[in-house]
Amino acid sequence: EPEVTQTPSHQVTQMGQEVILRCVPISNHLYFYWYRQILGQKVEFLVSFYNNEISEKSEIFDDQFSVERPDGSNFTLKIRSTKLEDSAMYFCASSFGLLLPNEQFFGPGTRLTVL
Amino acid sequence: AQKITQTQPGMFVQEKEAVTLDCTYDTSDPSYGLFWYKQPSSGEMIFLIYQGSYDQQNATEGRYSLNFQKARKSANLVISASQLGDSAMYFCAMRSSGGGADGLTFGKGTHLIIQP
């Protein structure tokens, strides 16, 4: 069964450093998403991406975040200058379409720890 | 703005019993979808079941069913014949069908523990 994959599973970085989180969405899906989950809290939407551009972004997704689809398979989230409060689990998700139901399938997550 | 409320932070249930996880929601959109996800201790998010706001019947997927009461704005997840492997966090989420509503809005989750 096709699945969303994410690398790395865990990343530790120093405050102020740039990190790139990588995702490979399900191959025939057209919409890609990033979510984050701070430890013990609910999952929060960051951004959606379609047709090589951002479709929607939340208030959390400020100028320090960027997304890119550098090739036909990868989808990345870059955090330019990490802060302590960026420590969280970051989930990539993908869906075939946007019309309901088109459920979003999540990857296993990348746990980011900022020291 | 949309909001999901899950009022049960934790639940203990005996194996083989049925369990109901509560979810209420708030939205002004006439067309929306409700989703339930399971998050085991390993951390991944697993899609379980979907209910559309205009669906006439409650959704069912194997041991999972959704008790959808539109007038009360509730979408409770029912797990029949619970198993030890059902122990996990369960999140209720929603999304509108309108434009600019790509992301899911999640509740805070319920931590379900199945006891032998």
Side-chain angles (χ1 to χ4, degrees), chain A residues 31 33 35 37 40-45 48-49 55-56 89 91 97-108, chain B residues 4 31-33 35 37 39 42-47 50 91 95-97 100-109:
Chain A
Y31 290 82
Y33 313 84
Y35 291 82
Q37 184 183 28
Q41 298 187 26
K42 63 181 178 180
V43 179
E44 300 172 292
F45 169 71
S48 59
F49 192 85
S55 176
E56 185 192 3
M89 180 76 95
F91 291 103
L98 199 56
L99 295 176
L100 293 171
N102 271 301
E103 55 267 20
Q104 297 176 16
F105 291 90
F106 283 70
Chain B
I4 295 282
S31 179
Y32 51 88
F35 302 79
Y37 285 85
Q39 186 179 42
S42 48
E44 71 271 30
M45 296 284 287
I46 303 167
F47 166 72
Y50 165 82
F91 291 97
R95 189 165 69 81
S96 293
S97 64
D102 299 1
L104 291 163
T105 298
F106 282 84
K108 291 186 177 180

Side-chain angles (χ1 to χ4, degrees), chain A residues 64-98:
Chain A
Q64 70 158 343
F65 292 97
S66 62
V67 289
E68 192 179 30
R69 187 154 164 85
D71 53 46
S73 59
N74 288 284
F75 179 51
T76 62
L77 174 69
K78 181 192 290 186
I79 309 175
R80 245 177 287 281
S81 177
T82 50
K83 302 191 276 271
L84 295 176
E85 54 265 37
D86 293 327
S87 293
M89 180 76 95
Y90 288 82
F91 291 103
C92 174
S94 70
S95 66
F96 179 74
L98 199 56

Side-chain angles (χ1 to χ4, degrees), chain B residues 43-61:
Chain B
E44 71 271 30
M45 296 284 287
I46 303 167
F47 166 72
L48 295 178
I49 194 167
Y50 165 82
Q51 179 82 46
S53 60
Y54 288 114
D55 292 345
Q56 294 297 311
Q57 294 191 329
N58 287 341
T60 61
E61 286 287 347

Side-chain angles (χ1 to χ4, degrees), chain B:
Chain B
Q2 300 173 343
K3 186 177 180 182
I4 295 282
T5 302
Q6 295 180 255
T7 57
Q8 306 153 309
M11 285 186 72
F12 289 87
V13 172
Q14 290 293 318
E15 190 180 7
K16 299 180 185 174
E17 288 183 353
V19 57
T20 298
L21 305 180
D22 295 340
C23 171
T24 58
Y25 59 91
D26 191 22
T27 181
S28 57
D29 296 312
S31 179
Y32 51 88
L34 295 151
F35 302 79
W36 277 90
Y37 285 85
K38 174 184 178 181
Q39 186 179 42
S41 57
S42 48
E44 71 271 30
M45 296 284 287
I46 303 167
F47 166 72
L48 295 178
I49 194 167
Y50 165 82
Q51 179 82 46
S53 60
Y54 288 114
D55 292 345
Q56 294 297 311
Q57 294 191 329
N58 287 341
T60 61
E61 286 287 347
R63 291 188 300 113
Y64 303 109
S65 61
L66 215 149
N67 183 2
F68 180 49
Q69 298 186 47
K70 191 172 182 178
R72 300 178 66 177
K73 293 190 174 179
S74 74
N76 299 339
L77 177 70
V78 180
I79 306 174
S80 63
S82 58
Q83 302 170 354
L84 296 178
D86 294 333
S87 295
M89 283 291 292
Y90 288 82
F91 291 97
C92 180
M94 75 178 299
R95 189 165 69 81
S96 293
S97 64
D102 299 1
L104 291 163
T105 298
F106 282 84
K108 291 186 177 180
T110 295
H111 189 190
L112 176 64
I113 296 174
I114 307 298
Q115 296 176 313

